[in-house]
Every structure is written in C-alpha cells, then in structure tokens.
C-alpha cells in the first residue's frame, strides 16, 4: 500500500531534511557574517580611501576638500560617523541647494557608500560612532520604562518637537520635524549628534538606557505599525535580518523540494 511505503521512507527523510537545513543555515551564516562584520568595524584604509573619493565628489564643494568647512557649510572634523550616517540616510546630505534647513528626503546613496563616507569623516576626528542595535532598540521595554521615556521626552524634547512628537516651527523659517516616522537608529543618532538647532545630548546627559526609553515611547506614537521601517536605514543590523529571512526562505524551499522529490520517487 502507498501509505505503508511512505511510512517506511519517512524516518530517514526527516532527519536528512533537518541536517540539510542546518547545513544551509550554517553556510548562509558563514557567508553573511564576515560581510556584516566588516561593515560594523569599518574595514580600515580601503574603505576610508573610497570614502575620501566619494566625499571629494559629493561633499567637498561645501564642506571643504578635507572636511574643514567653508563659509557655505560647517567643518565635519569630529562630528563622527553617526552624524554622516544620520544626515545621509535621512537624505538631508548632500544638501541640494542652500536654504533655511536641509529637509529629509529619500537618499540616493547605497549603504556601502554611506558607510565609506562615514568612515572617512570618522578618520578626520573622534566623534560619535554609528550605534549598534542594543544601544538604541526600544523594543522589549515594559510599561514603566516607556512611561519614563515619555517623561524624558517631555522634559528634553517637547519644547521643539511638541508633546506628541508632532514637530513644530522654530524662528527664521526653521522647524523641528515630526518624529512619528523616524527609525530607532536615527532617533539615537539625532540625540547624539544634534542636527541644526537641536542640542547634542551626550551620554552624561541622557544615558543609552534613557535613549532607549525615549525610543520606546516614540514608537508608541507611530501612526502606522511599520512607521519606523526605513529602507534607507538598512545597516549591518538590517542586512543580518534579511540574511535570516532569506536563509529561512531557502530552507523552506529545500524542505519543500525534498518532500516533493520523495513523493515523486514513488
Ligand atoms: C550645498 C552644500 C552642501 C553639500 C553639497 C553638502 N553639505 Fe553637508 N551641510 C551643509 C550645511 C549648510 C550644513 C549645516 C546646516 C544643516 O545641517 O542643514 C551641513 C551639515 C552637514 C552635517 C552635520 C554636521 C554636524 O554638525 O553634525 C554632516 C554630517 C554633513 N553635512 C555631511 C555631508 C556629506 C557627507 C555630504 C556629501 C555626501 C554633504 N554634507 C554635502 C551643506 C552641504
Ligand atoms: C531646540 C530644539 C530641539 C530640541 C530641544 C530637540 N530637538 Fe530634535 N530636532 C530639532 C531640529 C531643528 C531638527 C531638524 C534638524 C534637521 O532637519 O537637520 C531635529 C531633528 C530631530 C530628529 C530627526 C527627525 C527625522 O525624522 O529626520 C530626531 C529623531 C529628533 N530631533 C529627536 C529629538 C529628541 C528625542 C529630543 C530630546 C531628547 C530632541 N530631538 C530635542 C530641534 C530640537
């Protein structure tokens, strides 16, 4: 009977699929891990050189050939990789034309190009580094921590950004933008680098834990569940995530393939 023969085959097919799946996961991890690693700790001289070339082409007309600043734009010495990451991923830089304020827009640069320019600017002088997810992620906080985040927000941020993070006008045609669509990483980077009129909040003023709680609070204000999702923000963390998604997808495909072969073999 067909049913019986399936039963005879199954005990071997199942562990085989599992072993194969593990191999695929392991292989994928091995293939992806070095790539994300090198992104995280800025692969050194080659990346800095690439960043310098990109900087000369795209940024030096305003910021000076060595990032020293011009009457057009401030010096970038010591602003750190986090500032470049924030300014470029939110599309503020390169500024298209002089104006009261560089607005956020879709970035035209790849994650690799942004990392390279960030590494180059970081090599000019010490400044805040691009944060890792455990520094800024507001997920997994309990209600008490989020309530504390709300208090910190009202004390430090609402004067400009409004009570519910809706944004507000500032003197001279400038404005503090709404924060309901900003990704967790960009909130952290803005706090640490203080774009435009926004003050810099150092770790002495707001600890990483404080920032997480503020992020957790702001996430409760997102008007859509995926409001904070930002394709431009695909950093090392995002790539790791995609690795898993694609990896899992691959495993499922292989399992399905084995199952269908097993069925056809009969
Ligand atoms: C048209 C001129 C212009 C160009 C081109 C330009 N910038 Fe800027 N940039 C500015 C001005 C003006 C400011 C300061 C005001 C502001 O933030 O809007 C600024 C601010 C910045 C800051 C924030 C500095 C701080 O204090 O934290 C960073 C980082 C930055 N630029 C990076 C870049 C990078 C990287 C490029 C090239 C990809 C670039 N800019 C191209 C004009 C320019
Ligand atoms: C003195 C006014 C002021 C205060 C106080 C202030 N900000 Fe800002 N913030 C600004 C301005 C102005 C900008 C826009 C800068 C730009 O466009 O380059 C900004 C930008 C931001 C952004 C980027 C938004 C985006 O989507 O691109 C975030 C996130 C942010 N602020 C969070 C905060 C948080 C959190 C606090 C409190 C810890 C805070 N700000 C306090 C004025 C302020």
């Amino acid at each position: 009977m067909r049913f019986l023969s399936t039963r005879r085959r199954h005990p071997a097919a199942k562990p085989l699929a599992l072993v194969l799946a593990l191999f695929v996961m392991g292989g994928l991890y091995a293939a992806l891990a070095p790539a994300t690693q090198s992104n995280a700790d800025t692969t050194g001289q080659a990346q800095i050189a690439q960043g310098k070339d990109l900087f000369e082409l795209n940024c030096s007309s305003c910021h000076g050939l060595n990032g020293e600043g011009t009457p057009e734009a401030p010096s970038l010495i010591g602003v750190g990789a986090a500032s470049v990451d924030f300014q470029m991923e939110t599309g503020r830089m390169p500024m298209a034309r002089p104006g009261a304020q560089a607005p956020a827009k879709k970035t035209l640069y790849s994650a690799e190009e942004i990392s390279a320019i960030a590494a180059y600017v970081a090599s000019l002088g010490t400044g805040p580094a691009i944060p890792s997810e455990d520094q800024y992620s507001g997920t997994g906080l309990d209600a008490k921590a989020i309530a504390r985040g709300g208090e910190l927000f009202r004390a430090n941020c609402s004067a400009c950004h409004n009570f519910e993070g809706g944004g507000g006008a500032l003197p001279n045609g400038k404005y503090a933008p709404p924060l309901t669509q900003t990704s967790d990483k960009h909130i952290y980077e803005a706090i640490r680098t203080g774009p435009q009129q926004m003050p810099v909040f150092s770790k002495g003023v707001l600890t990483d834990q404080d920032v997480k709680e503020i992020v957790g609070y702001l996430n409760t204000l997102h008007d859509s569940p995926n409001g904070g999702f930002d394709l431009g923000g695909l950093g090392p963390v995002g790539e790791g995530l995609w690795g898993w998604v694609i990896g899992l997808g691959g495993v499922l495909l292989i399992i399905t393939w084995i199952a269908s072969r097993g069925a056809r073999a009969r």
Side-chain angles (χ1 to χ4, degrees):
M1 261 182 85
R2 192 155 195 273
F3 179 65
L4 275 179
S5 71
T6 342
R7 277 198 66 179
R8 223 178 42 231
R9 283 218 158 210
H10 250 156
K14 256 191 187 166
L16 184 73
L18 208 79
V19 167
L20 246 162
L22 281 173
F23 264 108
V24 170
M25 292 297 265
L28 259 165
Y29 182 75
L32 285 170
T36 49
Q37 194 82 54
S38 63
N39 249 347
D41 60 38
T42 57
T43 32
Q45 296 312 313
Q47 193 188 28
I48 291 174
Q50 185 201 357
K52 185 169 172 38
D53 290 346
L54 287 165
F55 186 88
E56 278 170 13
L57 272 172
N58 299 285
C59 324
S60 65
S61 59
C62 291
H63 288 286
L65 261 182
N66 299 301
E68 72 278 20
T70 66
E72 248 50 71
S75 159
L76 298 184
I77 297 169
V79 302
S83 183
V84 173
D85 196 56
F86 171 79
Q87 297 282 344
M88 289 193 74
E89 283 192 349
T90 62
R92 287 179 165 84
M93 290 292 143
M95 208 169 170
R97 66 194 101 76
Q101 186 163 343
K105 56 185 186 305
K106 204 176 166 341
T107 184
L108 301 173
Y109 292 79
S110 70
E112 192 204 335
E113 289 169 322
I114 295 175
S115 304
I117 297 178
Y120 167 65
V121 169
S123 78
L124 300 175
T126 320
I130 298 172
S132 58
E133 193 175 359
D134 59 306
Q135 286 176 278
Y136 60 73
S137 171
T139 49
L141 295 174
D142 59 17
K144 211 173 133 204
I146 287 175
R148 212 180 142 255
E151 280 165 29
L152 288 168
F153 184 82
R154 283 184 288 276
N156 295 287
C157 326
S158 60
C160 297
H161 288 285
N162 219 325
F163 286 103
E164 300 262 272
L170 296 172
N172 302 323
K174 302 189 179 221
Y175 57 90
L179 304 180
T180 47
Q181 304 291 320
T182 312
S183 75
D184 295 0
K185 185 174 75 154
H186 294 152
I187 296 173
Y188 183 100
E189 290 176 337
I191 289 174
R192 291 286 182 243
T193 66
Q196 295 240 1
Q197 275 79 11
M198 182 164 157
V200 172
F201 296 88
S202 68
K203 291 189 189 190
V205 177
L206 292 175
T207 64
D208 279 1
Q209 181 61 28
D210 293 337
V211 174
K212 277 188 194 181
E213 291 173 356
I214 293 174
V215 168
Y217 167 73
L218 286 174
N219 284 346
T220 65
L221 305 177
H222 279 177
D223 28 3
S224 65
N226 59 355
F229 190 67
D230 176 0
L231 265 180
L234 278 181
V237 174
E239 283 160 29
L241 179 71
W242 284 114
W244 282 109
V245 170
I246 293 164
L248 273 176
V251 168
L252 281 177
L253 266 176
I254 288 183
I255 290 175
T256 321
W257 177 72
I258 290 172
S260 71
R261 269 192 64 118
R264 235 182 286 133
R266 234 150 276 139

